[in-house]
Amino acid sequence: MWLVPPKVAANELDCLGDCKSYIKFSDPNIPSIKVENCIGGIPTNLGDLNMNGTDEVGLLPEWFSSYWSAYHVWTYSDGKWVHAVPPFSTHTNQWDKGVKAIEVDKNKSGYVIIRYSEFSGEDIVTKSKSIKIQK
């Protein structure tokens, strides 16, 4: 799989047309995933997070000048891509430290642990929580 970004203006601060990217797959039978407000990023095979026999796809979309980005996780269900969990807020501090965004919760069947960023006082902190994943 790979990401096809939109065309960006010469000033590198505007899209030429819609700011949508598409995750494409080498297998033409797998439909692409449309990603709104995205000018780059590397899709990741996250493995079978929901234990249904298929792999989930993750993406930290890039944007022009933001240190914040919503992490996306999709699963293929009923012939289409749907969010396996709601997109969650992450900050570059989290990524610079190599914090893993999502993994199977080994203590709760059908759940994953997400690691998200938020403000706490004057600081940006990474927190974790267990949430149910879409099958």
Side-chain angles (χ1 to χ4, degrees):
M1 73 185 140
W2 65 95
L3 186 93
V4 178
K7 294 194 186 310
V8 175
N11 67 9
E12 297 183 4
L13 294 174
D14 294 303
C15 291
L16 298 173
D18 291 333
C19 284
K20 297 176 187 166
S21 292
Y22 293 88
I23 299 174
K24 303 278 188 170
F25 299 87
S26 56
D27 183 340
N29 297 311
I30 302 173
S32 60
I33 302 171
K34 179 172 67 172
V35 188
E36 303 277 346
N37 300 322
C38 175
I39 59 167
I42 299 171
T44 305
N45 182 331
L46 299 172
D48 190 2
L49 296 174
N50 58 10
M51 306 304 178
N52 72 350
T54 64
D55 291 347
E56 277 61 61
V57 174
L59 178 71
L60 178 65
E62 293 173 3
W63 192 241
F64 291 106
S65 60
S66 180
Y67 293 102
W68 291 91
S69 188
Y71 192 76
H72 294 264
V73 179
W74 293 276
T75 189
Y76 195 68
S77 177
D78 295 326
K80 62 183 177 188
W81 290 101
V82 297
H83 277 108
V85 297
F88 52 96
S89 179
T90 63
H91 187 269
T92 190
N93 293 356
Q94 179 177 340
W95 295 101
D96 289 347
K97 293 176 185 170
V99 174
K100 193 172 188 176
I102 188 168
E103 65 184 332
V104 172
D105 186 337
K106 295 178 179 138
N107 297 318
K108 286 175 87 173
S109 179
Y111 282 71
V112 290
I113 296 171
I114 62 167
R115 293 183 185 82
Y116 60 98
S117 300
E118 68 178 33
F119 278 111
S120 177
E122 298 286 320
D123 297 321
I124 299 167
V125 296
T126 301
K127 295 186 174 183
S128 299
K129 72 178 170 181
S130 180
I131 62 172
K132 189 165 181 56
I133 188 165
Q134 170 82 27
K135 289 269 181 182

